[in-house]
Amino acid sequence: MKPAPFDVVEASRRVWLRDWNSEAASGMAVFTAILRSFQLLNDDVQRVMRSHDLTFARYEVLAWLATDPDSSVTLSWISKTLRIPPATVTDIIDRLEQDGLVRRAAHPTDARTTLAVITARGRKVARNATSDLNTEVYERIGLSETQRDQLIELLAELRASGNEFDVERSRQVIDDLG
Amino acid sequence: MKPAPFDVVEASRRVWLRDWNSEAASGMAVFTAILRSFQLLNDDVQRVMRSHDLTFARYEVLAWLATDPDSSVTLSWISKTLRIPPATVTDIIDRLEQDGLVRRAAHPTDARTTLAVITARGRKVARNATSDLNTEVYERIGLSETQRDQLIELLAELRASGNEFDVERSRQVIDDLG
DNA sequence: GACCATTGTTACGGAGCCGAAGTAACGTCC
DNA sequence: GGACGTTACTTCGGCTCCGTAACAATGGTC
């Protein structure tokens, strides 16, 4: 996509400062900047996804399944962790199953819950897609390592304050990964 | 929506550092952090939009029309500036027109182009929606003024390096606003 | 006047979200 | 051990936006 004729974030900010207040203006600028940055990167991500016959949502599920040592995960875990509505999880798993990348399995003790299990083919697809994402998008983001860290840190604070994840439990869970 | 059980960004980063390289890991973390921050704020934005019978895309168009002194703008300008595909612009204007918030008008000199003109009702709706967005989302973002500025600055650099907007022309255009 | 670019529209399928309803299984509390 | 509320997943219909492609009409250029 071609560049916009000007920086919409900065332009909007001027308008907001004129018509509203500085608190609203900076908040608006934060949201708009995040939205536009997302769109920018997402365009590239989608391109890679299409070349692997995936969508980002399907890829995300696959990627988590591929990293999990047990290679299986409950559908509700997917919904909670990736913040995907249950009805959409059903769609996604349907499609992944249909493509032979995942299969549904019964939970050993809880008859209500369904497990998603990655297949060998799914594992291969996940690995290839991630490899492409890395070289074609992630490694090309135009920021220094220091800037990336700052950005990640600021957004972590934004998310924590908005209760996007459980700050208390997070440390334990993550330490368990290592 | 309820918080995720842990910080997915940080968890993914550990996995990436184990399986790939630090460049890919920080890039992935940047994208994921932006995505999740967007989702977090967007949930609130959508809530406000729904209460005004708008979508964010329709609101954005309306808000720009409301601030423009001439109150009219070509459809192609909308497409380029807000990065909305032409076919979607047609949909959006159709709906705004149907709701009586905007009307189409012929361009005075170029018979190919169509102008979108905001109505009095559209102006009122835009103002109310913005007011709610400000108090219910933008003014509540959990970052200090300094942090917001840092964040906006980092994202501006990310966008500029990704050619999201025309850096050269942007200064002129924005100075013209003031 | 021929040629190409730009503008907007139409049509089609795909993806994900929303809301609401429904089924089935689990857990708890009296 | 039965009633009740909760949790897990599915189904359905509708909506919005995207991607692609084709098309008509106009404008600009050589």
Side-chain angles (χ1 to χ4, degrees):
Chain A
M1 211 161 181
K2 282 181 185 165
F6 59 93
D7 180 355
V8 172
V9 175
E10 183 55 26
S12 309
R13 170 119 101 148
R14 304 261 177 131
V15 172
W16 249 250
L17 282 172
R18 188 193 66 199
D19 296 349
W20 307 89
N21 61 69
S22 65
E23 185 90 356
S26 62
M28 182 283 300
V30 164
F31 177 68
T32 311
I34 289 174
L35 167 61
R36 299 216 135 216
S37 302
F38 169 66
Q39 286 174 341
L40 173 69
L41 298 177
N42 195 43
D43 283 352
D44 293 336
V45 168
Q46 297 299 340
R47 216 185 321 283
V48 174
M49 290 299 104
R50 248 187 312 267
S51 75
H52 291 270
D53 195 27
L54 288 172
T55 63
F56 188 68
R58 293 208 294 268
Y59 163 75
E60 252 192 315
V61 170
L62 214 53
W64 272 101
L65 278 168
T67 56
D68 191 285
D70 302 333
S71 299
S72 80
V73 129
T74 68
L75 302 199
S76 62
W77 183 93
I78 294 173
S79 178
K80 289 187 189 105
T81 307
L82 303 182
R83 307 182 79 79
I84 299 169
T88 304
V89 172
T90 297
D91 290 344
I92 289 174
I93 300 294
D94 279 353
R95 176 61 190 272
L96 287 173
E97 204 168 22
Q98 188 180 317
D99 289 351
L101 309 178
V102 146
R103 62 184 176 79
R104 271 181 246 245
H107 190 282
T109 62
D110 188 338
R112 290 171 305 176
T113 81
T114 307
L115 292 173
V117 184
I118 194 168
T119 64
R121 179 134 160 270
R123 206 173 276 282
K124 199 191 290 178
V125 169
R127 184 152 196 93
N128 289 339
T130 300
S131 178
D132 279 4
L133 265 188
N134 284 339
T135 60
E136 288 173 34
V137 187
Y138 296 155
E139 293 174 4
R140 292 192 186 174
I141 291 176
L143 292 177
S144 70
E145 204 61 29
T146 314
Q147 289 176 313
R148 292 180 187 209
D149 287 343
Q150 284 175 5
L151 185 51
I152 293 164
E153 184 53 42
L154 285 165
L155 292 175
E157 199 156 332
L158 190 159
R159 291 183 296 119
S161 84
N163 215 28
E164 196 254 341
F165 60 92
D166 186 330
V167 180
E168 290 298 314
R169 285 187 49 197
S170 190
R171 280 202 194 102
Q172 306 170 5
V173 176
I174 288 180
D175 285 345
D176 285 354
L177 286 178
Chain B
M1 210 160 180
K2 284 184 183 162
F6 59 92
D7 181 354
V8 172
V9 176
E10 182 56 26
S12 308
R13 172 121 99 147
R14 304 258 178 131
V15 172
W16 249 250
L17 283 171
R18 187 193 67 198
D19 295 349
W20 307 91
N21 63 69
S22 65
E23 185 91 356
S26 62
M28 181 281 301
V30 164
F31 177 69
T32 309
I34 289 173
L35 167 61
R36 300 216 133 215
S37 302
F38 169 67
Q39 287 175 339
L40 173 68
L41 298 176
N42 195 43
D43 283 351
D44 293 336
V45 169
Q46 296 300 340
R47 216 184 322 281
V48 174
M49 291 298 104
R50 231 167 311 167
S51 75
H52 291 270
D53 196 26
L54 288 171
T55 63
F56 188 69
R58 293 208 295 268
Y59 164 75
E60 249 191 318
V61 170
L62 212 53
W64 272 101
L65 278 168
T67 56
D68 193 284
D70 303 333
S71 299
S72 79
V73 128
T74 68
L75 301 199
S76 65
W77 183 92
I78 294 173
S79 178
K80 288 186 190 108
T81 307
L82 302 182
R83 307 182 80 80
I84 299 170
T88 304
V89 172
T90 298
D91 290 344
I92 288 174
I93 299 294
D94 279 352
R95 175 62 189 271
L96 287 173
E97 203 168 23
Q98 187 182 319
D99 289 351
L101 309 179
V102 146
R103 63 186 175 78
R104 271 180 246 248
H107 189 281
T109 62
D110 188 339
R112 290 171 305 176
T113 81
T114 306
L115 293 174
V117 184
I118 194 168
T119 64
R121 177 132 163 275
R123 205 174 277 281
K124 198 191 292 180
V125 169
R127 184 151 195 92
N128 289 340
T130 300
S131 177
D132 279 4
L133 264 188
N134 285 339
T135 61
E136 288 175 32
V137 186
Y138 296 156
E139 293 173 4
R140 292 193 185 174
I141 291 176
L143 292 177
S144 70
E145 204 60 31
T146 313
Q147 288 175 315
R148 292 180 186 208
D149 286 343
Q150 285 175 6
L151 184 51
I152 294 163
E153 183 52 42
L154 284 165
L155 292 174
E157 199 157 332
L158 190 160
R159 290 183 297 120
S161 84
N163 216 29
E164 196 253 342
F165 60 92
D166 186 329
V167 180
E168 290 299 315
R169 284 186 51 197
S170 189
R171 282 204 193 98
Q172 306 171 6
V173 175
I174 287 180
D175 286 345
D176 286 353
L177 286 179

